Amino acid sequence: MDVILLAGGYGTRLYPLTKDRPKSLLPVGGRPITDYLVEELEQEPRVKRMWLVTNQKFADHFRRWAEESDFDVPMQTINDGTTSNEDRLGAIGDINLVLGRMGEIPGDGVYVAATDNIPRFDMTDIIQLSAEKDATAVFACRESSRARLKRAGVATLDSDGKIVDFEEKPDEPASDFRVPPFYCLTHDDAGLISTYLEEGNDPDAPGNLLAWLINRRDVYASVANVGTYDIGTRESYRRVCEAFESK
């Protein structure tokens, strides 16, 4: 299984902190944010390679980070060639770029993770769920804040944990299950991403792909009682740093 780490954003809401440094490499608890994701995922024996996709502005930052890190699995950084929010490929566009660079999608699929969230759950649970169901698997975290649900992807699940409805940033959330951007895509489902894009669908928010996919494939959710530490603004970054300092 290969891992695709999404780091193609420009972090403009965190300026000036991210004017000359990518959001995903901001320190939390004395370590870059992305280190926490890599450390956990490389403990999963099915993970054989990792690919981090970023942009022209921050490509050298991530290249140096990868060269200076002592990872247990190979890490390849990819520059998507974009220079601003105006010309960026979007998260789904970046996933498709990496899949093309792979040459062949691994038989046991790919794990996709955003790098501006630090999970509070076991990131590897959906790998096992995907294998058991022979289907794409994601996390669904219970969220009490309707305001936060309106800014997220929201899923409705049946009794077996299958996603029967999904909406990205709904005006009226249909459930309290927030789906953070951590997906374990089967080989066949990852292969559908090029079709999704060829149809002219939104290349940005990963949740739009899920909304499209559930009409074509079974997608299951592992329910987590805790969510993620989200780093989207200077205030949320401050709160995350304080949470780690108090541990």
Tab-separated table of all heavy atoms in Angstrom, residues 1 9 31 153 183:
chain	number	residue	atom	x	y	z
A	1	MET	N	0.842	-1.200	0.000
A	1	MET	CA	0.000	0.000	0.000
A	1	MET	C	0.874	1.245	0.000
A	1	MET	O	1.872	1.315	0.722
A	1	MET	CB	-0.938	0.005	1.216
A	1	MET	CG	-1.742	1.284	1.377
A	1	MET	SD	-2.972	1.182	2.659
A	1	MET	CE	-4.161	0.078	1.880
A	9	GLY	N	-1.455	23.040	-0.381
A	9	GLY	CA	-2.053	24.332	-0.064
A	9	GLY	C	-1.015	25.405	0.229
A	9	GLY	O	0.175	25.121	0.418
A	31	ARG	N	7.834	19.479	16.997
A	31	ARG	CA	8.055	18.682	15.791
A	31	ARG	C	7.151	19.183	14.671
A	31	ARG	O	6.055	19.694	14.934
A	31	ARG	CB	7.727	17.202	16.064
A	31	ARG	CG	8.507	16.588	17.201
A	31	ARG	CD	8.027	15.201	17.488
A	31	ARG	NE	8.194	14.341	16.321
A	31	ARG	CZ	7.598	13.152	16.192
A	31	ARG	NH1	6.799	12.706	17.132
A	31	ARG	NH2	7.826	12.432	15.119
A	153	GLY	N	-17.098	17.781	5.597
A	153	GLY	CA	-17.858	16.759	4.891
A	153	GLY	C	-18.661	15.974	5.906
A	153	GLY	O	-18.139	15.585	6.954
A	183	TYR	N	-8.498	8.821	3.939
A	183	TYR	CA	-9.231	7.815	3.167
A	183	TYR	C	-8.304	6.654	2.813
A	183	TYR	O	-7.143	6.863	2.448
A	183	TYR	CB	-9.743	8.396	1.835
A	183	TYR	CG	-10.546	9.666	1.912
A	183	TYR	CD1	-10.655	10.487	0.787
A	183	TYR	CD2	-11.196	10.068	3.071
A	183	TYR	CE1	-11.405	11.659	0.821
A	183	TYR	CE2	-11.940	11.233	3.119
A	183	TYR	CZ	-12.037	12.026	1.983
A	183	TYR	OH	-12.771	13.194	2.027
